[in-house]
Amino acid sequence: MTGVCGCCGALRPRYKRLVDNIFPEDPEDGLVKANMEKLTFYALSAPEKLDRIGAYLSERLSRDVARHRYGYVCIAMEALDQLLMACHCQSINLFVESFLKMVRKLLESDKPSLQILGTNSFVKFANIEEDTPSYHRSYDFFVSRFSEMCHSSFEDPDIRTKIRMAGIKGLQGVSGERTESRSPSPLQASEKEKESPVELTERCFRELLGRAAYGNIKNAVTPVLMHLDNHSLWEGKTFAVRCFKIIMYSIQSQHSHLVIQQLLGHLDANSKNSATVRAGIVEVLLEAAAIAASGSVGPTVLEVFNTLLRQLRLSVDYELTGSYDGSTNIGTKIIKAHEERQLQEAVIRTIGSFANTLPTYQRSEVMLFIMGKIPVPGVHPALTSTGSGPEVTRMIQVMLLKSLVQVTAGFQTTNMLTALPSSFLEPLLSFSLTEDPELRLLVLQILLSLIDRHENTAKFSDISIISDISVLKLKVDKCSRQDNLFMKKHGQQLYRHIYLGCKEPSSGRQHYESLFALLGLLSVELANEEVVVDLIRLALALQDLALSTDEALPVYNRCAVHAIAAAYLNLICQLTTVPAFCQHIHEVIEMRQKERGYLLPEDVFIDHPKLPSSLEKVEGDILFLQSKITEVLGGSGYNTDRLATPYVPQYTDEDRLSKRKSIGETISLQVEVESRNSPEKEERTPAEEITFETLKNAIVDSVGMEEQERERRRQVVEKFQKAPFEEIAAHCGARATLLQSKLNQIFEITIRPPPSPSGTISSGYGQSQSRSVPLYEMKFPDLCVY
């Protein structure tokens, strides 16, 4: 029998004998290296036998696993690994099938050591560069099994960590390990062994995302969104933000907008989820937008802002109605107002973050887009909402203006005329006429951001009398042609809104500080000689406003307006560098410092203003004189006629739209302006010879004339407030008829029939009458005939 067995053994195929010889009698001795070298040499010499070697090794391994002979299992896997590393030929594909079958057998085992052994072998296999890729293999089982290992719940924490690490490494092998790390140095290997599951997961995640192409970004991001949803990880924000930071830094920059679009879609899908979840998604958007600045937000820029503004509007509705569906019934989800407010602030910050990634022309489009969303009574219809009361409208106005503050922060443009068209500025300035002080303050902040192109705003934040403004280190550039055109078109609107802003009784310290900063910015950013004159006239008009008792301004507001006028004239006189002008301003300021400190900013714009109980007898040397300023500036070449003309704000349709005044006051102002500019009145007024006596009487009677003018205004206002509607309608109708008749007269004088090429014929009464001549009868010059 012994001879027979030996004979049968000798008749076995050589590859089987070589495989059997690598296994020692005692598995503790490990692989027989000399015999392994013979097997490797044989496999390289006869590559067609490689698939048979793999099948036989697989058969032995399966038998050893079933018999729990784990020492021989490890030897078989080591032999397979060495054969894989040594053999590089096309026939390796046949050997791989046997190898993967063996790895799968190990991964299906319940023993952690075998799972880890199979994973390590798979990772080594994954690092091999094949001459020709094989597309027929399926790795679905390995992805599934490695994912399970990543979530291992083994009782022993050390073994649990090892299994999870093995699962992560296996997934990394499936996704494609870097080829340069195929043969790491001992130092690199030891460093990787020290890695924690978190560090290894992050590295694997980055490598996976780095390989994502344009069409695969969604497949990579969707599971992350699902994981964050299923485990309520949005509310913590930290983990979600870290995940998407990894995503944004790992993918190619030109694909950034795809991630942002998925986040926006996910935000819409969670519109009725809790405010903390929505806030978490918005915070992730905020971080993603900052990282995407080097790439692109994508072609649908306005859609990004549309989604964010929609979420802002929904949050306001939820806060005010207390329900996600607009009903008054209390549902299962309780809406917390403070959480909605936090969400709103997060959305506003995110809008600003997105805007900072855009070029100037796109930011201008976004500004117009947001302005078009703001409900303005009489101009823009209110947006569709579950709640349509005034509180909803006001909150939407506040939130959208806050968004504009974020969008305009740091806005710089060389051509303000095109970047800030009338379609944006006019509705914006209309908000400065409202009674709501918060809206007016937001408008001022937006204007400061738009006009400040040299970071001068902070230098005007403190209203004070500075003896030498060179300490401010203001950046002043020569006003360009575009700036001149901008001020020619919009300057009067800006002056008017500064004046009316100072006139508001509800204006506080922040309003006056912003108004002063706006005056200062206009002086250093957009001022030519004409603008300087207008600003000086405006400052003197503010002084007159503070002196007037008709406006019923509180004492604080009157002192604040006096202080602003003083601080601004002190600034502008030093910018103009006219010595006599500076001397007059400084003399008045010195007199105020001695006698009336409450007319200067140092006593007004402090935490506890030093104010008198009432303002009386503000006159004489403590006032800036328009006649004196006109005289000294006229000597330096400024337009004396313009300087001598007091500034009077023009009332427009915006006053009626703001609903700040009553209907009677608005109509009376309109009639008063019309009566001053009426051609009829000009015709009735004869030319008067101006003599010395006339001038003397005008000076003596000026006070009386002002009182008569004031009384006439009061009567006009009273008439339109108390008169019957029919009487007012008849009055307005008569004026309209008169205007139409005057227009008809003008048209009859100016409009003439066009000359006829056929000439005219005389009628029987000596009048010329047009005669229709056929074209073929007309006589043309020879040069006109072809």
Side-chain angles (χ1 to χ4, degrees), residues 396-637:
I396 290 297
Q397 290 173 340
V398 169
M399 292 301 168
L400 294 183
L401 285 175
K402 283 184 177 180
S403 301
L404 275 177
V405 170
Q406 293 289 326
V407 172
T408 55
F411 180 82
Q412 292 187 356
T413 177
T414 55
N415 190 345
M416 294 189 66
L417 196 62
T418 57
L420 304 174
S422 301
S423 56
F424 174 79
L425 274 182
E426 290 179 0
L428 174 67
L429 293 176
S430 68
F431 285 106
S432 66
L433 302 173
T434 62
E435 293 180 344
D436 193 316
E438 186 176 7
L439 292 179
R440 297 202 309 274
L441 186 59
L442 291 171
V443 170
L444 286 171
Q445 292 175 6
I446 294 169
L447 286 174
L448 293 176
S449 297
L450 294 175
I451 295 174
D452 186 11
R453 292 173 291 180
H454 298 89
E455 299 180 356
N456 286 318
T457 301
K459 300 169 185 177
F460 296 117
S461 58
D462 181 25
I463 309 179
S464 59
I465 302 299
I466 302 176
S467 57
D468 184 5
I469 63 169
S470 62
V471 299
L472 296 178
K473 297 181 180 180
L474 296 172
K475 298 177 183 178
V476 183
D477 284 346
K478 186 177 180 181
C479 198
S480 66
R481 179 176 176 273
Q482 290 82 3
D483 292 342
N484 290 334
L485 293 174
F486 177 81
M487 288 304 293
K488 191 176 290 295
K489 184 174 183 179
H490 298 293
Q492 293 302 322
Q493 289 175 294
L494 295 172
Y495 307 148
R496 175 172 169 270
H497 286 80
I498 293 174
Y499 182 88
L500 295 177
C502 291
K503 191 177 178 180
E504 284 289 346
S506 60
S507 291
R509 177 178 174 180
Q510 287 184 303
H511 294 84
Y512 289 118
E513 289 175 343
S514 299
L515 287 166
F516 174 75
L518 183 55
L519 283 168
L521 285 179
L522 290 175
S523 305
V524 298
E525 295 281 353
L526 299 169
N528 53 27
E529 182 176 319
E530 182 178 347
V531 172
V532 169
V533 170
D534 285 337
L535 290 171
I536 294 172
R537 292 170 59 222
L538 175 59
L540 294 171
L542 292 178
Q543 177 178 260
D544 293 340
L545 171 64
L547 293 171
S548 174
T549 57
D550 295 341
E551 302 298 338
L553 281 176
V555 172
Y556 173 80
N557 296 69
R558 294 175 66 186
C559 291
V561 175
H562 273 299
I564 282 183
Y568 178 69
L569 287 173
N570 175 67
L571 172 70
I572 196 67
C573 75
Q574 296 184 59
L575 289 174
T576 56
T577 63
V578 178
F581 183 25
C582 295
Q583 182 180 358
H584 172 65
I585 302 301
H586 291 158
E587 287 175 355
V588 174
I589 290 174
E590 288 176 4
M591 290 298 298
R592 291 188 178 186
Q593 289 172 340
K594 293 177 182 178
E595 302 178 6
R596 306 285 182 93
Y598 51 81
L599 300 181
L600 295 175
E602 286 76 6
D603 285 359
V604 178
F605 301 113
I606 55 178
D607 293 336
H608 303 287
K610 303 174 183 178
L611 304 178
S613 57
S614 63
L615 284 180
E616 297 178 356
K617 296 183 179 179
V618 181
E619 56 189 8
D621 295 341
I622 60 174
L623 293 180
F624 303 101
L625 301 179
Q626 183 154 1
S627 58
K628 179 68 174 177
I629 293 174
T630 302
E631 177 186 347
V632 296
L633 289 179
S636 298

Side-chain angles (χ1 to χ4, degrees), residues 168-186:
I168 297 168
K169 291 177 181 178
L171 288 175
Q172 193 174 25
V174 174
S175 66
E177 177 70 16
R178 294 190 302 268
T179 56
E180 62 267 19
S181 63
R182 186 177 63 183
S183 301
S185 65

